[in-house]
Amino acid sequence: MSTEHPQEDAIDVLQQLGLKEYEAKCFVGLARVSTGTAKQLSEITDVPRTRIYDAIRVLEAQGLVEIQHTSPQQFRAVPLAEATETLRSQYENRIERLTNALEQAEKIESDDKGSVQEVWAMSGKKAIENRTFNLLDDADSEIVLVLGDDSLLTDKLVARLNARTDDVDVLIGAATSPLQTKIRELIPDATTFVSGLEWLRDESAPSDSLAIGRLLLVDRSTILVSTLIPESGEENAIFGGGFQNGLIVISRRLLSQGLLASKDPN
Amino acid sequence: MSTEHPQEDAIDVLQQLGLKEYEAKCFVGLARVSTGTAKQLSEITDVPRTRIYDAIRVLEAQGLVEIQHTSPQQFRAVPLAEATETLRSQYENRIERLTNALEQAEKIESDDKGSVQEVWAMSGKKAIENRTFNLLDDADSEIVLVLGDDSLLTDKLVARLNARTDDVDVLIGAATSPLQTKIRELIPDATTFVSGLEWLRDESAPSDSLAIGRLLLVDRSTILVSTLIPESGEENAIFGGGFQNGLIVISRRLLSQGLLASKDPN
DNA sequence: CACTAATTCACTCAGTTAATCACAAAAACC
DNA sequence: GGTTTTTGTGATTAACTGAGTGAATTAGTG
C-alpha cells in the first residue's frame, strides 16, 4: 500500500511525526532537489513563497535541513539516513524522559476491590500483540491459541511460541487447514488443530462483517479474544482473568467438550 | 534535569509524541492509580469529567489504555513497558513509511552550479554529531578534530574515532589539558594536543556568550565548526567543503603555522 | 540611483482543541 | 415506586494554532 503518491505519503508521515504542513512539504521538496532557493521550493511544494523561510528555520533547528546564508539563501535537506537517525534519537530521548517521569510520579493508593469478573477492552494490533506476548511469557502450564487469520502469525509471535514449547503445553488452532499446515511447519513442537469453531466465522452480524482474530487461553485462567475488521485491518480485543470469570468458564467448557482441543483426551 | 514535576514532564513528552493535553493528562493520571473511573480521573487530572470519555477513547484506540465496559466504566493504563513498546512500533512504522516514500519520490534535476565556496549552517546536537560521524567515516587520509567541551566526547564519537586510527592520521585537540588527558586515555592511537586556539574562547561576543564546540577538518578539504550555547546546551554548526573554500583556506593556514597541530612538522 | 528580487513581518480566516453546559440514561437511595 | 445522585453523550462557546495573503523592508543588479 501507499505507493501511489509517494510525496503525499511522506508529507503525511512527517506531519504525524510532529511537523506542520509547510514544514513537511518543504522537507519533501528538498529531498527531491538536492539544493534549492525559496522560490524554487515554493514552486515545487506550493507552499507560499513568503512562508518558506519560517518552515525552513524550524526544520533547521531540528537538524533536518541545512542553510547556506547567501543571498538568495540556499537550502538543502540533510541526507535521509542522517535525518532518520536524528528523528530516532529524538524519539528515544522522549521515551526515556517519559519512562523516568512516569516512574517518579507517585502512585496513588486506590481502594481497588478488583472483581474477579473483570473484562477489559483494548484495541490496536500492536498493543494486542504485545499483550499476547506478555501472556505467553507468563504462562505456567498451558497455552491454547487459536488464530483466525494468517496475518496474525508474525515472526515475533512464532518466536515467542517456540520459546515456550519445552516449558508448557502449547496447543495452536487454525481457522483453516492451510493455516494449520503453516503453523505446523513454523512451530513443530506445538500441538495443532483446526479450530472446530466455524460458528465464529461470518455468523453473528453480517452487516458489521467481523472476523475472529485470536483466541488465547493461558493456564485456563486468563483469556484474550480479538476480532479483526477486514477492511481496515484494525484489531479489537477483550481480555479477562480469574477462574470465576464468565468468559473463562465458557472457554473451559468449550475446551472440555473438545470444541477447542484438549490437552489430554482420556 | 526535569525531576521537579514528574507528571508535568510526562504530560509534556506525551504531547510531543502526539497526544492532546487531555489525553496526556488522562494517561498520566491512570499511570498513577492502577484503575479508576471517569470521576476519579477527573479529580486527579483536573480534566473536565465529561471530557474524560473522549480522551480515553482515543487512548484506547492507540492501545495505551484498557476499558472495562461496566457501569461506571473502569479505565486502566497498559503497563508502561507495553505502552512504550507500542509507541516504539508506531514510530518504527512511520520511519519505514517515510523512507519508502522518500526513496520513491522522483528526484528533480536541478542545474546545480554548486559553488566551491559553499558554507552550510545546521543546528541540533544530534544532527551535528551525525554529520560528524559521516565525515569521519569518509575521511581518506587525515582527521583533525578539536573539542571545546567534554560533553561532546560521547561514547559513539570515541568509537568512530578509534575505528579510523589505523586507517588515517587522527589528530585530536582539546580545549583544556584535563580533556586532553581523557582523550588520550580513550583514543590511545590518536595524536593529541591542547588546542592553541585559546583566542576562540570567551573572546568575540561576551554578550552572547558562545563557547566553541567542535572544529573538524577532514583531508584538509572539508570542515565543520560548531558553537555551543552554554545555557541551553544547543549546538550550531557551519560546514563547508572544497579546496577553494575560504574557511578551509584559513584552517589550512592555521594548521601550517602550527596553531592547530601539524601532521608532520618538518 | 532606480528597479527587481528576496526576506521579513503583521494580519485574516479557518479548523482544532479546550472548556462549559444541558440533558438523557442508569444506578443508588429512601 | 419515586426521588436523588451519578454516569455518560451531545451540543455550544471560547481560545488557540496554523494556513494563507499582502504590505513593508532589505539586499542585489544594472
Side-chain angles (χ1 to χ4, degrees):
Chain A
M1 64 174 177
S2 81
T3 175
E4 201 54 47
H5 300 295
Q7 32 259 42
E8 275 103 29
D9 291 345
I11 292 169
D12 282 352
V13 176
L14 285 168
Q15 288 191 262
Q16 289 169 15
L17 287 168
L19 297 189
K20 306 303 172 200
E21 180 181 333
Y22 285 170
E23 295 157 16
K25 283 183 175 174
C26 282
F27 184 78
V28 174
L30 277 181
R32 301 171 59 203
V33 287
S34 81
T35 185
T37 65
K39 190 178 179 189
Q40 296 173 288
L41 253 191
S42 144
E43 280 157 8
I44 59 176
T45 60
D46 57 54
V47 170
R49 236 188 322 276
T50 64
R51 318 262 358 246
I52 296 276
Y53 304 98
D54 308 66
I56 293 286
R57 259 194 288 276
V58 348
L59 288 173
E60 200 263 358
Q62 303 211 10
L64 296 176
V65 159
E66 293 163 47
I67 301 180
Q68 192 176 8
H69 288 287
T70 50
S71 181
Q73 293 179 297
Q74 293 273 117
F75 311 119
R76 78 176 177 197
V78 153
L80 184 52
E82 281 182 40
T84 56
E85 189 49 42
T86 300
L87 291 171
R88 163 166 283 113
S89 353
Q90 187 186 319
Y91 166 87
E92 301 286 356
N93 178 36
R94 284 177 183 164
I95 289 290
E96 195 194 314
R97 276 187 293 156
L98 177 63
T99 315
N100 288 342
L102 281 185
E103 278 169 356
Q104 279 183 38
E106 70 256 43
K107 309 296 182 291
I108 298 175
E109 282 307 316
S110 56
D111 25 311
D112 181 5
K113 47 186 186 299
S115 122
V116 285
Q117 284 274 12
E118 291 182 336
V119 177
W120 295 89
M122 60 191 309
S123 4
K125 236 188 180 59
K126 264 298 160 196
I128 295 171
E129 190 174 36
N130 283 335
R131 172 58 49 89
T132 303
F133 292 162
N134 278 355
L135 294 175
L136 293 178
D137 292 348
D138 289 350
D140 282 324
S141 59
E142 187 192 54
I143 291 169
V144 181
L145 174 65
V146 183
L147 293 177
D149 195 281
D150 300 44
S151 68
L152 298 174
L153 191 66
T154 62
D155 294 345
K156 280 187 189 170
L157 180 58
V158 170
R160 300 268 184 154
L161 284 167
N162 275 320
R164 301 310 309 269
T165 46
D166 43 356
D167 262 319
V168 302
D169 293 312
V170 178
L171 308 169
I172 309 180
T176 65
S177 81
L179 182 52
Q180 182 191 19
T181 311
K182 193 169 164 191
I183 293 172
R184 205 178 281 163
E185 282 169 16
L186 292 170
I187 312 163
D189 292 337
T191 309
T192 66
F193 58 98
V194 173
S195 89
L197 293 176
E198 298 79 6
W199 54 275
L200 285 172
R201 302 185 69 75
D202 288 340
E203 201 81 34
S204 39
S207 57
D208 292 5
S209 94
L210 289 178
I212 190 76
R214 8 180 160 225
L215 188 158
L216 173 65
L217 181 63
V218 173
D219 297 338
R220 308 204 179 186
S221 67
T222 305
I223 192 169
L224 184 153
V225 183
S226 82
T227 54
L228 293 171
I229 301 167
E231 308 95 52
S232 68
E234 266 308 297
E235 188 174 6
N236 293 327
I238 57 175
F239 161 76
F243 272 90
Q244 317 289 337
N245 191 305
L247 267 178
I248 307 253
V249 173
I250 291 181
S251 306
R252 274 210 303 277
R253 183 150 309 172
L254 286 174
L255 212 162
S256 71
Q257 295 184 354
L259 275 178
L260 285 177
S262 71
K263 162 188 174 183
D264 188 3
N266 51 8
Chain B
M1 65 171 176
S2 82
T3 174
E4 201 54 47
H5 300 294
Q7 31 259 44
E8 274 100 17
D9 292 344
I11 293 170
D12 283 352
V13 176
L14 285 169
Q15 287 191 263
Q16 288 170 14
L17 287 168
L19 297 191
K20 306 305 173 199
E21 181 183 334
Y22 285 171
E23 295 157 16
K25 283 183 175 175
C26 282
F27 184 79
V28 175
L30 277 181
R32 301 172 57 204
V33 287
S34 81
T35 186
T37 66
K39 191 181 178 188
Q40 297 174 289
L41 254 191
S42 144
E43 279 156 8
I44 59 175
T45 60
D46 56 53
V47 171
R49 187 187 59 83
T50 62
R51 306 274 80 215
I52 296 276
Y53 303 98
D54 308 66
I56 293 286
R57 259 194 287 276
V58 348
L59 288 173
E60 200 264 357
Q62 303 211 13
L64 297 177
V65 159
E66 294 164 45
I67 301 179
Q68 192 176 8
H69 289 285
T70 50
S71 178
Q73 293 180 305
Q74 293 273 115
F75 311 119
R76 77 177 179 198
V78 153
L80 183 52
E82 279 183 40
T84 55
E85 188 49 43
T86 301
L87 291 171
R88 163 166 282 114
S89 350
Q90 187 185 315
Y91 166 86
E92 300 288 355
N93 177 36
R94 284 176 183 165
I95 289 291
E96 194 195 316
R97 276 187 293 157
L98 176 63
T99 315
N100 287 343
L102 281 185
E103 278 169 355
Q104 280 183 38
E106 70 256 44
K107 309 295 180 293
I108 298 175
E109 282 309 315
S110 56
D111 24 312
D112 181 5
K113 48 186 184 303
S115 123
V116 284
Q117 284 275 14
E118 291 182 336
V119 177
W120 296 90
M122 60 190 311
S123 4
K125 235 188 180 60
K126 264 297 159 196
I128 295 170
E129 190 174 37
N130 283 335
R131 172 57 49 90
T132 303
F133 292 162
N134 279 355
L135 294 175
L136 292 178
D137 292 348
D138 290 350
D140 282 325
S141 59
E142 186 191 55
I143 291 169
V144 181
L145 175 64
V146 182
L147 293 178
D149 195 282
D150 300 44
S151 68
L152 298 174
L153 192 66
T154 62
D155 294 345
K156 280 187 190 170
L157 180 59
V158 170
R160 300 268 182 153
L161 284 166
N162 275 319
R164 301 309 310 271
T165 47
D166 43 356
D167 262 319
V168 302
D169 293 312
V170 178
L171 308 170
I172 310 180
T176 65
S177 81
L179 182 53
Q180 181 190 20
T181 311
K182 193 170 164 190
I183 293 172
R184 205 179 283 162
E185 281 169 18
L186 291 170
I187 311 163
D189 292 338
T191 310
T192 65
F193 59 97
V194 173
S195 89
L197 292 175
E198 297 80 6
W199 55 274
L200 283 172
R201 300 185 70 73
D202 290 339
E203 203 80 33
S204 40
S207 57
D208 291 6
S209 92
L210 289 177
I212 190 76
R214 7 180 161 225
L215 188 158
L216 173 64
L217 181 62
V218 173
D219 297 338
R220 308 203 179 187
S221 67
T222 305
I223 191 169
L224 184 152
V225 182
S226 83
T227 54
L228 292 172
I229 300 167
E231 307 94 52
S232 68
E234 266 307 299
E235 189 174 5
N236 294 327
I238 57 175
F239 162 76
F243 272 88
Q244 318 289 337
N245 191 304
L247 265 179
I248 307 255
V249 172
I250 290 180
S251 306
R252 274 210 303 276
R253 183 151 310 173
L254 286 175
L255 212 161
S256 71
Q257 296 185 353
L259 277 177
L260 285 177
S262 72
K263 164 187 174 183
D264 189 2
N266 49 6

